[in-house]
Amino acid sequence: MAKVRDGRRCVRYKCGLISTIQDVLRKRPDWVEVKDEEEWDFNWSDASSVRENFHMFMKEHVRINHFPNYYELTRKDLMVKNLKRFQKGLEKDFGRTEASRCDFFPSTFALPSEYHLFVGEFSRSPGSTWIMKPVGKSQGKGIFLFRKLKDIMDWKKDSSRTEEQTDAMHVENYVAQRYIENPYLINGRKFDLRVYVLVTSFVPLKAWLYRDGFARVSGTRFSLSTIKDKYMHLTNVSVQKTAPDYNPEKGCKWQLQQLRRYLTAKHGREMVETLFKEMDNLFVRSLQSVQKAIINDKHCFELYGYDILLDQNLKPWLIEVNASPSYAHSSQEDYDMKCRLLEDTLNVVDMEGRLTGKEKRVGGYDLMWNNGPVYKEDVNPQTLGSLCFTANTHLGCVNDREKQLRQLLNPFQFQKKL
């Protein structure tokens, strides 16, 4: 499986990113970085270059951090297309009640292909706010809000663009999405959530939910009186940190544990439990919606960054999913959290062969779905009818990962001399 060095088996890895993942890989016991032309066992690749790896033969043990067509879930237009198709299938096979469990994404249209459908919907709700996004960009690039169709035309005719830029814009696809006008606010400010989901297989579906994550809070008080202020409406850290009054020491993030405590204090445990159950449903249904589209490869895994917005009724809305969530950090606390996330991702992928495959928890990861729902306790089929089981997810809960990992990974068989 791996190279032998000084009497010990080593995992040979490549990493195409210069970020927190490099730090984590370099600290990994008995993991050795190799050069481009050398053979590798593990490859953490940038999403844009992942296709290059599928032109070569990969041995049984080799792992890479993207599925070949990961973008079926992470490109904004394809995500909505797959969700709409999945929802229609549920309605046809199981009825409207089951299909309604997919009502967690705003009304969205791909432009230019669905322009006439969009205009029909737009005309039925005059005065409402919409948001325009390029399908393949991130970090808030190219996004703007609008309330009139002429705003799109004015934007296309923007004289500040060169002819070349205008031509490129016509070619690029966008989505027009109904803007959530009643977001839940913290101290009068809008925020969204970044949550991490690790998929180790699509067929059958096996997905893990990470306990930690964060809320990204705007530095500007929210109001619908203006739609031009990007610092008010876009919560991306890359946008917020360019604000004139941004304080890098204070940052713009709340850890999920902090947010969960805040919401529980304001609304009670029952309402918050319902919110997090609805988020569990959102994760699973969105993954199921791309099961038939994703090329499942046993060598692949995917760490998705989900962006979720809460409205005033504590309803979660799926805004988008990222295949390459940023591992850049805005504080020491943020860096430490991302290191734990990436360490535990490597623990679940288990290049060292330390796990049995039956684990329901690995560090900060809880097994959420394993070809069916996973519960906190083992289910006895004979008692299924009489008991109520709780999902094996603990988003925003206390994470005693170090203690759990010590119990799980000892003895460290992989480090023993051959």
Side-chain angles (χ1 to χ4, degrees):
M1 164 184 161
K3 193 174 182 179
V4 176
R5 180 174 291 190
D6 300 328
R8 300 157 79 96
R9 289 162 65 192
C10 298
V11 175
R12 299 162 298 181
Y13 74 86
K14 277 180 65 177
C15 182
L17 302 176
I18 302 173
S19 65
T20 310
I21 182 61
Q22 271 281 19
D23 297 344
V24 171
L25 287 167
R26 285 172 178 163
K27 292 176 184 177
R28 194 86 178 163
D30 295 324
W31 284 51
V32 179
E33 188 169 10
V34 297
K35 296 178 181 178
D36 286 344
E37 65 275 10
E38 292 184 280
E39 191 174 350
W40 47 268
D41 308 301
F42 180 92
N43 190 342
W44 194 285
S45 172
D46 180 74
S48 61
S49 61
V50 70
R51 292 183 187 179
E52 300 169 9
N53 298 289
F54 294 99
H55 297 300
M56 54 176 277
F57 170 76
M58 287 191 275
K59 295 180 181 178
E60 180 76 19
H61 71 280
V62 166
R63 294 292 180 269
I64 187 167
N65 67 316
H66 294 292
F67 287 88
N69 59 337
Y70 62 89
Y71 46 80
E72 290 287 346
L73 182 60
T74 60
R75 215 177 82 165
K76 299 175 185 71
D77 56 341
L78 295 181
M79 179 189 81
V80 172
K81 174 186 171 183
N82 285 312
L83 281 168
K84 286 179 178 178
R85 186 185 62 229
F86 182 65
Q87 191 173 29
K88 285 181 181 177
L90 287 177
E91 183 170 354
K92 179 182 177 182
D93 295 337
F94 303 104
R96 289 186 179 180
T97 301
E98 187 67 16
S100 69
R101 298 192 66 191
C102 285
D103 288 338
F104 50 68
F105 59 100
S107 181
T108 306
F109 298 90
L111 302 183
S113 62
E114 296 181 330
Y115 181 77
H116 294 295
L117 291 173
F118 160 67
V119 170
E121 180 67 20
F122 184 90
S123 63
R124 284 190 285 273
S125 52
S128 60
T129 307
W130 291 76
I131 185 167
M132 184 81 102
K133 304 175 184 179
V135 299
K137 292 183 179 177
S138 58
Q139 300 180 331
K141 294 173 184 173
I143 295 178
F144 67 94
L145 277 64
F146 66 97
R147 289 185 178 135
K148 298 176 182 177
L149 285 179
K150 82 173 189 65
D151 293 339
I152 300 180
M153 304 312 296
D154 291 346
W155 162 71
K156 284 184 176 181
K157 297 172 184 175
D158 188 343
S159 58
S160 66
R161 293 189 177 92
T162 65
E163 186 175 337
E164 188 176 286
Q165 287 174 322
T166 304
D167 290 341
M169 184 200 68
H170 283 302
V171 173
E172 186 171 14
N173 292 323
Y174 285 73
V175 291
Q177 187 175 79
R178 188 183 291 274
Y179 187 66
I180 305 298
E181 296 183 329
N182 62 333
Y184 191 98
L185 304 178
I186 296 177
N187 298 327
R189 291 166 170 81
K190 180 182 173 182
F191 69 94
D192 71 353
L193 307 181
R194 166 58 59 85
V195 181
Y196 298 97
V197 174
L198 173 64
V199 178
T200 51
S201 170
F202 271 100
V203 183
L205 181 60
K206 189 170 186 178
W208 304 74
L209 179 63
Y210 204 65
R211 296 187 177 195
D212 291 339
F214 50 87
R216 302 176 292 193
V217 186
S218 166
T220 305
R221 294 183 69 86
F222 180 81
S223 170
L224 283 174
S225 61
T226 176
I227 59 174
K228 301 294 186 183
D229 189 340
K230 63 180 181 179
Y231 302 117
M232 178 188 297
H233 297 287
L234 304 183
T235 57
N236 310 64
V237 176
S238 53
V239 172
Q240 291 297 320
K241 68 182 182 182
T242 64
D245 56 349
Y246 177 74
N247 182 345
E249 292 185 10
K250 186 179 178 183
C252 58
K253 293 181 179 178
W254 272 27
Q255 295 302 310
L256 272 184
Q257 287 186 27
Q258 183 182 2
L259 177 68
R260 185 161 186 155
R261 287 195 299 268
Y262 174 86
L263 293 175
T264 302
K266 285 200 72 173
H267 303 284
R269 180 172 295 180
E270 189 174 338
M271 278 192 72
V272 174
E273 288 289 346
T274 299
L275 163 63
F276 280 82
K277 284 179 183 176
E278 289 180 2
M279 287 172 61
D280 289 346
N281 171 70
L282 179 157
F283 301 133
V284 171
R285 300 280 175 161
S286 61
L287 294 173
Q288 288 176 329
S289 75
V290 297
Q291 261 192 293
K292 293 181 179 179
I294 293 282
I295 300 170
N296 190 63
D297 189 309
K298 64 183 178 181
H299 299 99
C300 303
F301 65 94
E302 196 88 44
L303 177 54
Y304 291 112
Y306 274 73
D307 291 347
I308 298 169
L309 184 73
L310 307 184
D311 68 18
Q312 289 175 351
N313 302 314
L314 285 186
K315 174 182 171 63
W317 293 91
L318 175 58
I319 303 303
E320 63 181 270
V321 184
N322 297 272
S324 297
S326 172
Y327 303 119
H329 56 279
S330 54
S331 67
Q332 185 62 45
E333 181 183 38
D334 192 36
Y335 176 76
D336 292 342
M337 188 279 289
K338 287 176 178 172
C339 283
R340 295 192 298 268
L341 165 74
L342 293 167
E343 287 168 7
D344 288 345
T345 300
L346 300 180
N347 289 334
V348 171
V349 174
D350 191 29
M351 293 297 297
E352 298 91 341
R354 296 173 291 178
L355 305 180
T356 66
K358 297 180 180 179
E359 290 81 6
K360 294 201 293 187
R361 181 186 174 193
V362 177
Y365 276 112
D366 296 299
L367 185 59
M368 171 173 56
W369 193 268
N370 189 14
N371 202 26
V374 181
Y375 301 102
K376 288 182 181 176
E377 302 298 332
D378 290 327
V379 176
N380 181 349
Q382 296 177 340
T383 60
L384 261 176
S386 58
L387 294 177
C388 180
F389 294 96
T390 308
N392 183 49
T393 52
H394 304 79
L395 186 60
C397 294
V398 174
N399 185 3
D400 57 336
R401 64 179 290 274
E402 291 186 13
K403 177 182 176 182
Q404 196 270 344
L405 286 173
R406 281 196 300 270
Q407 294 172 343
L408 182 67
L409 302 181
N410 283 329
F412 201 129
Q413 297 291 343
F414 184 69
Q415 289 189 358
K416 291 186 177 182
K417 294 275 182 86
L418 292 178

